[in-house]
Amino acid sequence: MQAYLEAKRTVDDRALNRRVLDQFVAALTARNGPVSVVELGAGVGTMLVRLATWGCLPERVSYRLVDRDAESITRARDLVPDELENAGYTVRWRDDRAAESATLVATRDSTGEFTGGNCRERDETPGPLEYTDAVPATATTSATASASATTTPTTLTITFTTADAFEIEAQADAVIAAAFLDLIDVPAALESIETLLEPGGVLYAPITFDGGTGFVPTDPLDRDIERCYHHHMDEIRDGGSSRAGRELLTTLRRRDWETLATGGSNWVVRPACGDHSGADEAGSPGSPGSHTTHYPASEQLVLEHILHTIDDALTAVPAVMTPFSTAEQEQWHDQRRTALESGMFGFVAHNLDVLARCGPTVSGQS
Ligand SMILES: C[S@@+](CC[C@H](N)C(=O)[O-])C[C@H]1O[C@@H](n2cnc3c(N)ncnc32)[C@H](O)[C@@H]1O
């Protein structure tokens, strides 16, 4: 699971809706003084690394990562300091690093000294395996640019918590729930998040799955496979919904939140453009005997994980619910795996990014 969460980082990087992200950055920047962020279902910490590396965080931030999976939090405690150092931060543990309550402090002097690159730099200089059509350079707006253009040092105070997201005590200016609200009951989650937010605080919920799963190349069985896969999410899996994005928008309105911004953040995972020569996971040409992949970064692993997840889900769906035989299902999977191994498989998922403020609508938007 942790390897999958790390591998999907580049997929999320491409997918994130820059307009919604920029409004989130603007909302953080508008808060006075130090800003507190709680991330629920934070996984291995890739969202924090992204926000810090892209220059999306204000000058002083306390950031708490919460996940109920102890292995993910353990991985986050290793990955976050390493990645922040790579992005030009100086990191130190304030307490005994081994202690559960240990706090990581990361500082970066100014934009000019950091090496990671913000949205704009990243978009303008795609690496050898990045898609040049992934995100237009113009997608970075003034909010992101101004957050990263600061000359004042940025100080992040980071804590890591292994806990159920809805059993913690906290007060935050912002709650982040990335690829998370589709796994749980949305109305109950919102009720809980309301208790975590300071007055005027915001919820940023990017990559919330919203009812679309597609495969390339297409196959006549795809529609039934998708239907059964979503049925598993809705009726068999413990919690969550295959239409969580639109349910979130509906629930926000019902509970008197103000939806500040929303937009699509579809996942598109496909082979690297025109490069089937094989390259290693760092994007450099493969050497004889090295592991080769047709996909950018570690995205082959993402696709393997998805096919595995779908396989497991379909196995759990009662036969009376599936309009295809076990043999047809196995053949579909075998063809997909073969296509994946030869770099001919693609995957598409429809997600929504949502930014909302707790409290009655004031602008008339929703
Ligand atoms: C799809 S992963 C997303 C992780 C991360 N936000 C990301 O985008 O990489 C969902 C995460 O939510 C965590 N999770 C699920 N239910 C949870 C709960 N009730 N409380 C805390 N974490 C939970 C899982 O352990 C997992 O790490």
mmCIF file of all heavy atoms in Angstrom, residues 1 4-6 8 12 39-47 50 66-69 72 163-166 177-180 182-184 207, ligand 1:
data_model
loop_
_atom_site.group_PDB
_atom_site.id
_atom_site.type_symbol
_atom_site.label_atom_id
_atom_site.label_comp_id
_atom_site.label_asym_id
_atom_site.label_seq_id
_atom_site.Cartn_x
_atom_site.Cartn_y
_atom_site.Cartn_z
ATOM 1 N N MET A 1 0.819 -1.220 0.000
ATOM 2 C CA MET A 1 0.000 0.000 0.000
ATOM 3 C C MET A 1 0.855 1.274 0.000
ATOM 4 O O MET A 1 0.598 2.220 -0.736
ATOM 5 C CB MET A 1 -0.924 0.001 1.226
ATOM 6 C CG MET A 1 -1.878 1.175 1.271
ATOM 7 S SD MET A 1 -3.052 1.187 -0.109
ATOM 8 C CE MET A 1 -4.076 2.565 0.296
ATOM 9 N N TYR A 4 2.351 1.976 -3.320
ATOM 10 C CA TYR A 4 1.316 2.500 -4.225
ATOM 11 C C TYR A 4 1.086 3.993 -3.954
ATOM 12 O O TYR A 4 1.003 4.800 -4.886
ATOM 13 C CB TYR A 4 0.024 1.700 -4.043
ATOM 14 C CG TYR A 4 -1.203 2.397 -4.563
ATOM 15 C CD1 TYR A 4 -1.430 2.537 -5.932
ATOM 16 C CD2 TYR A 4 -2.142 2.953 -3.681
ATOM 17 C CE1 TYR A 4 -2.553 3.205 -6.402
ATOM 18 C CE2 TYR A 4 -3.263 3.606 -4.149
ATOM 19 C CZ TYR A 4 -3.463 3.735 -5.510
ATOM 20 O OH TYR A 4 -4.575 4.397 -5.981
ATOM 21 N N LEU A 5 0.998 4.358 -2.676
ATOM 22 C CA LEU A 5 0.743 5.771 -2.340
ATOM 23 C C LEU A 5 1.891 6.662 -2.818
ATOM 24 O O LEU A 5 1.661 7.785 -3.278
ATOM 25 C CB LEU A 5 0.527 5.929 -0.833
ATOM 26 C CG LEU A 5 -0.735 5.268 -0.258
ATOM 27 C CD1 LEU A 5 -0.817 5.459 1.253
ATOM 28 C CD2 LEU A 5 -1.998 5.821 -0.930
ATOM 29 N N GLU A 6 3.119 6.149 -2.730
ATOM 30 C CA GLU A 6 4.245 6.925 -3.246
ATOM 31 C C GLU A 6 4.192 7.004 -4.768
ATOM 32 O O GLU A 6 4.442 8.043 -5.359
ATOM 33 C CB GLU A 6 5.563 6.296 -2.806
ATOM 34 C CG GLU A 6 5.894 6.570 -1.349
ATOM 35 C CD GLU A 6 7.227 5.960 -0.940
ATOM 36 O OE1 GLU A 6 8.261 6.310 -1.544
ATOM 37 O OE2 GLU A 6 7.213 5.116 -0.027
ATOM 38 N N LYS A 8 1.675 6.880 -6.783
ATOM 39 C CA LYS A 8 0.592 7.661 -7.390
ATOM 40 C C LYS A 8 0.833 9.170 -7.274
ATOM 41 O O LYS A 8 0.054 9.962 -7.792
ATOM 42 C CB LYS A 8 -0.762 7.255 -6.788
ATOM 43 C CG LYS A 8 -1.135 7.912 -5.475
ATOM 44 C CD LYS A 8 -2.475 7.420 -4.993
ATOM 45 C CE LYS A 8 -2.915 8.115 -3.706
ATOM 46 N NZ LYS A 8 -3.293 9.501 -3.889
ATOM 47 N N ASP A 12 -1.238 12.131 -9.263
ATOM 48 C CA ASP A 12 -1.956 13.223 -8.587
ATOM 49 C C ASP A 12 -1.388 14.589 -8.995
ATOM 50 O O ASP A 12 -2.141 15.552 -9.163
ATOM 51 C CB ASP A 12 -1.851 13.067 -7.063
ATOM 52 C CG ASP A 12 -2.673 11.898 -6.524
ATOM 53 O OD1 ASP A 12 -3.624 11.473 -7.209
ATOM 54 O OD2 ASP A 12 -2.349 11.398 -5.430
ATOM 55 N N GLU A 39 -4.230 17.138 8.122
ATOM 56 C CA GLU A 39 -4.540 16.313 6.948
ATOM 57 C C GLU A 39 -5.050 14.951 7.412
ATOM 58 O O GLU A 39 -4.353 14.212 8.115
ATOM 59 C CB GLU A 39 -3.328 16.152 6.028
ATOM 60 C CG GLU A 39 -3.763 15.371 4.786
ATOM 61 C CD GLU A 39 -2.708 15.198 3.708
ATOM 62 O OE1 GLU A 39 -1.635 15.831 3.789
ATOM 63 O OE2 GLU A 39 -2.971 14.403 2.789
ATOM 64 N N LEU A 40 -6.262 14.619 6.997
ATOM 65 C CA LEU A 40 -6.887 13.353 7.379
ATOM 66 C C LEU A 40 -6.639 12.306 6.300
ATOM 67 O O LEU A 40 -6.735 12.603 5.106
ATOM 68 C CB LEU A 40 -8.393 13.555 7.568
ATOM 69 C CG LEU A 40 -8.812 14.675 8.522
ATOM 70 C CD1 LEU A 40 -10.339 14.808 8.552
ATOM 71 C CD2 LEU A 40 -8.275 14.435 9.929
ATOM 72 N N GLY A 41 -6.335 11.086 6.712
ATOM 73 C CA GLY A 41 -6.034 10.045 5.719
ATOM 74 C C GLY A 41 -4.828 10.449 4.895
ATOM 75 O O GLY A 41 -4.840 10.351 3.667
ATOM 76 N N ALA A 42 -3.770 10.910 5.588
ATOM 77 C CA ALA A 42 -2.625 11.538 4.909
ATOM 78 C C ALA A 42 -1.715 10.537 4.219
ATOM 79 O O ALA A 42 -0.813 10.945 3.464
ATOM 80 C CB ALA A 42 -1.828 12.355 5.922
ATOM 81 N N GLY A 43 -1.904 9.259 4.460
ATOM 82 C CA GLY A 43 -1.062 8.257 3.801
ATOM 83 C C GLY A 43 0.403 8.430 4.171
ATOM 84 O O GLY A 43 0.744 8.567 5.349
ATOM 85 N N VAL A 44 1.277 8.474 3.160
ATOM 86 C CA VAL A 44 2.719 8.566 3.420
ATOM 87 C C VAL A 44 3.209 10.019 3.342
ATOM 88 O O VAL A 44 4.405 10.265 3.361
ATOM 89 C CB VAL A 44 3.523 7.671 2.447
ATOM 90 C CG1 VAL A 44 3.164 6.208 2.673
ATOM 91 C CG2 VAL A 44 3.297 8.068 0.988
ATOM 92 N N GLY A 45 2.295 10.972 3.255
ATOM 93 C CA GLY A 45 2.681 12.390 3.375
ATOM 94 C C GLY A 45 2.973 13.091 2.055
ATOM 95 O O GLY A 45 3.561 14.176 2.052
ATOM 96 N N THR A 46 2.527 12.525 0.944
ATOM 97 C CA THR A 46 2.888 13.130 -0.340
ATOM 98 C C THR A 46 2.232 14.492 -0.568
ATOM 99 O O THR A 46 2.794 15.342 -1.260
ATOM 100 C CB THR A 46 2.537 12.196 -1.520
ATOM 101 O OG1 THR A 46 1.182 11.773 -1.372
ATOM 102 C CG2 THR A 46 3.441 10.982 -1.562
ATOM 103 N N MET A 47 1.053 14.727 -0.006
ATOM 104 C CA MET A 47 0.410 16.040 -0.200
ATOM 105 C C MET A 47 1.212 17.134 0.493
ATOM 106 O O MET A 47 1.436 18.209 -0.081
ATOM 107 C CB MET A 47 -1.041 16.019 0.302
ATOM 108 C CG MET A 47 -1.763 17.343 0.172
ATOM 109 S SD MET A 47 -1.774 18.044 -1.507
ATOM 110 C CE MET A 47 -3.161 17.170 -2.225
ATOM 111 N N ARG A 50 4.239 17.827 -1.543
ATOM 112 C CA ARG A 50 3.868 18.561 -2.762
ATOM 113 C C ARG A 50 3.644 20.046 -2.448
ATOM 114 O O ARG A 50 4.182 20.928 -3.105
ATOM 115 C CB ARG A 50 2.603 17.939 -3.349
ATOM 116 C CG ARG A 50 2.031 18.687 -4.529
ATOM 117 C CD ARG A 50 0.740 18.050 -4.998
ATOM 118 N NE ARG A 50 0.905 16.689 -5.457
ATOM 119 C CZ ARG A 50 0.419 15.607 -4.838
ATOM 120 N NH1 ARG A 50 -0.276 15.737 -3.717
ATOM 121 N NH2 ARG A 50 0.614 14.401 -5.324
ATOM 122 N N VAL A 66 -2.486 12.784 9.784
ATOM 123 C CA VAL A 66 -3.232 11.780 10.543
ATOM 124 C C VAL A 66 -3.602 10.634 9.609
ATOM 125 O O VAL A 66 -4.162 10.859 8.536
ATOM 126 C CB VAL A 66 -4.530 12.375 11.138
ATOM 127 C CG1 VAL A 66 -5.292 11.323 11.940
ATOM 128 C CG2 VAL A 66 -4.225 13.595 11.995
ATOM 129 N N ASP A 67 -3.267 9.431 10.001
ATOM 130 C CA ASP A 67 -3.719 8.252 9.252
ATOM 131 C C ASP A 67 -3.860 7.111 10.249
ATOM 132 O O ASP A 67 -3.071 7.001 11.177
ATOM 133 C CB ASP A 67 -2.724 7.884 8.151
ATOM 134 C CG ASP A 67 -3.379 7.048 7.062
ATOM 135 O OD1 ASP A 67 -3.710 5.856 7.324
ATOM 136 O OD2 ASP A 67 -3.579 7.558 5.944
ATOM 137 N N ARG A 68 -4.866 6.278 10.027
ATOM 138 C CA ARG A 68 -5.058 5.184 10.980
ATOM 139 C C ARG A 68 -4.104 4.030 10.706
ATOM 140 O O ARG A 68 -3.982 3.126 11.530
ATOM 141 C CB ARG A 68 -6.502 4.710 10.952
ATOM 142 C CG ARG A 68 -6.890 3.960 9.710
ATOM 143 C CD ARG A 68 -8.315 3.484 9.785
ATOM 144 N NE ARG A 68 -8.723 2.864 8.547
ATOM 145 C CZ ARG A 68 -9.965 2.547 8.239
ATOM 146 N NH1 ARG A 68 -10.931 2.798 9.079
ATOM 147 N NH2 ARG A 68 -10.254 1.979 7.094
ATOM 148 N N ASP A 69 -3.435 4.082 9.552
ATOM 149 C CA ASP A 69 -2.528 2.997 9.190
ATOM 150 C C ASP A 69 -1.119 3.310 9.694
ATOM 151 O O ASP A 69 -0.450 4.225 9.191
ATOM 152 C CB ASP A 69 -2.524 2.817 7.670
ATOM 153 C CG ASP A 69 -1.607 1.681 7.254
ATOM 154 O OD1 ASP A 69 -1.688 0.602 7.856
ATOM 155 O OD2 ASP A 69 -0.776 1.896 6.346
ATOM 156 N N SER A 72 1.793 3.444 7.202
ATOM 157 C CA SER A 72 1.854 4.646 6.350
ATOM 158 C C SER A 72 2.474 5.805 7.124
ATOM 159 O O SER A 72 3.298 6.556 6.581
ATOM 160 C CB SER A 72 0.450 5.020 5.853
ATOM 161 O OG SER A 72 -0.013 4.039 4.957
ATOM 162 N N ALA A 163 -3.957 7.490 14.008
ATOM 163 C CA ALA A 163 -5.258 7.524 14.687
ATOM 164 C C ALA A 163 -6.363 7.515 13.656
ATOM 165 O O ALA A 163 -6.152 7.852 12.477
ATOM 166 C CB ALA A 163 -5.389 8.796 15.533
ATOM 167 N N ASP A 164 -7.543 7.152 14.107
ATOM 168 C CA ASP A 164 -8.706 7.319 13.250
ATOM 169 C C ASP A 164 -8.949 8.820 13.074
ATOM 170 O O ASP A 164 -8.899 9.572 14.049
ATOM 171 C CB ASP A 164 -9.932 6.656 13.884
ATOM 172 C CG ASP A 164 -11.099 6.612 12.924
ATOM 173 O OD1 ASP A 164 -11.720 7.669 12.680
ATOM 174 O OD2 ASP A 164 -11.378 5.526 12.396
ATOM 175 N N ALA A 165 -9.211 9.208 11.848
ATOM 176 C CA ALA A 165 -9.370 10.637 11.538
ATOM 177 C C ALA A 165 -10.466 11.286 12.365
ATOM 178 O O ALA A 165 -10.420 12.490 12.631
ATOM 179 C CB ALA A 165 -9.690 10.793 10.053
ATOM 180 N N PHE A 166 -11.432 10.485 12.779
ATOM 181 C CA PHE A 166 -12.596 11.080 13.439
ATOM 182 C C PHE A 166 -12.582 10.853 14.946
ATOM 183 O O PHE A 166 -13.590 11.023 15.616
ATOM 184 C CB PHE A 166 -13.865 10.575 12.752
ATOM 185 C CG PHE A 166 -13.793 10.856 11.276
ATOM 186 C CD1 PHE A 166 -13.652 9.829 10.356
ATOM 187 C CD2 PHE A 166 -13.771 12.167 10.826
ATOM 188 C CE1 PHE A 166 -13.523 10.112 9.000
ATOM 189 C CE2 PHE A 166 -13.635 12.461 9.475
ATOM 190 C CZ PHE A 166 -13.515 11.429 8.557
ATOM 191 N N ALA A 177 -8.270 16.593 2.955
ATOM 192 C CA ALA A 177 -8.705 15.194 2.833
ATOM 193 C C ALA A 177 -8.518 14.807 1.365
ATOM 194 O O ALA A 177 -9.402 15.022 0.543
ATOM 195 C CB ALA A 177 -10.164 15.055 3.264
ATOM 196 N N ALA A 178 -7.347 14.294 1.031
ATOM 197 C CA ALA A 178 -7.019 13.983 -0.364
ATOM 198 C C ALA A 178 -7.257 12.505 -0.626
ATOM 199 O O ALA A 178 -6.737 11.652 0.104
ATOM 200 C CB ALA A 178 -5.552 14.340 -0.650
ATOM 201 N N ALA A 179 -8.016 12.201 -1.665
ATOM 202 C CA ALA A 179 -8.325 10.803 -2.021
ATOM 203 C C ALA A 179 -8.794 10.040 -0.789
ATOM 204 O O ALA A 179 -8.374 8.915 -0.526
ATOM 205 C CB ALA A 179 -7.095 10.134 -2.631
ATOM 206 N N PHE A 180 -9.637 10.672 -0.018
ATOM 207 C CA PHE A 180 -10.025 10.113 1.277
ATOM 208 C C PHE A 180 -11.533 10.049 1.467
ATOM 209 O O PHE A 180 -12.076 9.042 1.939
ATOM 210 C CB PHE A 180 -9.375 10.944 2.391
ATOM 211 C CG PHE A 180 -9.757 10.529 3.782
ATOM 212 C CD1 PHE A 180 -9.528 9.232 4.226
ATOM 213 C CD2 PHE A 180 -10.341 11.435 4.664
ATOM 214 C CE1 PHE A 180 -9.885 8.846 5.518
ATOM 215 C CE2 PHE A 180 -10.690 11.059 5.951
ATOM 216 C CZ PHE A 180 -10.462 9.757 6.377
ATOM 217 N N ASP A 182 -13.915 9.514 -0.426
ATOM 218 C CA ASP A 182 -14.633 8.448 -1.138
ATOM 219 C C ASP A 182 -14.549 7.118 -0.403
ATOM 220 O O ASP A 182 -15.165 6.135 -0.807
ATOM 221 C CB ASP A 182 -14.105 8.308 -2.575
ATOM 222 C CG ASP A 182 -12.599 8.401 -2.664
ATOM 223 O OD1 ASP A 182 -11.928 7.554 -2.057
ATOM 224 O OD2 ASP A 182 -12.091 9.333 -3.318
ATOM 225 N N LEU A 183 -13.775 7.098 0.693
ATOM 226 C CA LEU A 183 -13.611 5.844 1.439
ATOM 227 C C LEU A 183 -14.510 5.775 2.658
ATOM 228 O O LEU A 183 -14.561 4.745 3.335
ATOM 229 C CB LEU A 183 -12.151 5.699 1.901
ATOM 230 C CG LEU A 183 -11.099 5.603 0.806
ATOM 231 C CD1 LEU A 183 -9.709 5.576 1.418
ATOM 232 C CD2 LEU A 183 -11.330 4.358 -0.042
ATOM 233 N N ILE A 184 -15.168 6.879 2.967
ATOM 234 C CA ILE A 184 -15.926 6.941 4.213
ATOM 235 C C ILE A 184 -17.298 7.557 3.965
ATOM 236 O O ILE A 184 -17.584 8.008 2.861
ATOM 237 C CB ILE A 184 -15.158 7.776 5.266
ATOM 238 C CG1 ILE A 184 -14.796 9.116 4.647
ATOM 239 C CG2 ILE A 184 -13.913 7.055 5.744
ATOM 240 C CD1 ILE A 184 -14.088 10.012 5.583
ATOM 241 N N ILE A 207 -8.979 15.097 -5.379
ATOM 242 C CA ILE A 207 -8.944 13.698 -5.844
ATOM 243 C C ILE A 207 -10.012 12.877 -5.113
ATOM 244 O O ILE A 207 -9.742 11.808 -4.573
ATOM 245 C CB ILE A 207 -7.532 13.064 -5.674
ATOM 246 C CG1 ILE A 207 -6.416 14.031 -6.041
ATOM 247 C CG2 ILE A 207 -7.436 11.769 -6.466
ATOM 248 C CD1 ILE A 207 -6.210 14.285 -7.511
HETATM 249 C C1 LIG B 1 -6.389 6.377 -0.900
HETATM 250 S S1 LIG B 1 -5.394 6.635 0.494
HETATM 251 C C2 LIG B 1 -4.933 8.337 0.247
HETATM 252 C C3 LIG B 1 -3.716 8.714 1.026
HETATM 253 C C4 LIG B 1 -3.236 10.137 0.759
HETATM 254 N N1 LIG B 1 -4.229 11.121 1.126
HETATM 255 C C5 LIG B 1 -2.852 10.273 -0.684
HETATM 256 O O1 LIG B 1 -3.598 10.893 -1.454
HETATM 257 O O2 LIG B 1 -1.803 9.744 -1.054
HETATM 258 C C6 LIG B 1 -6.538 6.736 1.836
HETATM 259 C C7 LIG B 1 -5.872 6.800 3.190
HETATM 260 O O3 LIG B 1 -6.881 6.996 4.167
HETATM 261 C C8 LIG B 1 -6.546 6.223 5.307
HETATM 262 N N2 LIG B 1 -7.786 6.033 6.077
HETATM 263 C C9 LIG B 1 -8.910 5.383 5.710
HETATM 264 N N3 LIG B 1 -9.858 5.487 6.665
HETATM 265 C C10 LIG B 1 -9.329 6.234 7.661
HETATM 266 C C11 LIG B 1 -9.815 6.718 8.902
HETATM 267 N N4 LIG B 1 -11.047 6.447 9.329
HETATM 268 N N5 LIG B 1 -9.000 7.466 9.653
HETATM 269 C C12 LIG B 1 -7.736 7.764 9.241
HETATM 270 N N6 LIG B 1 -7.226 7.332 8.070
HETATM 271 C C13 LIG B 1 -8.004 6.578 7.283
HETATM 272 C C14 LIG B 1 -5.925 4.973 4.741
HETATM 273 O O4 LIG B 1 -5.123 4.314 5.709
HETATM 274 C C15 LIG B 1 -5.128 5.540 3.576
HETATM 275 O O5 LIG B 1 -3.826 5.875 3.949
#
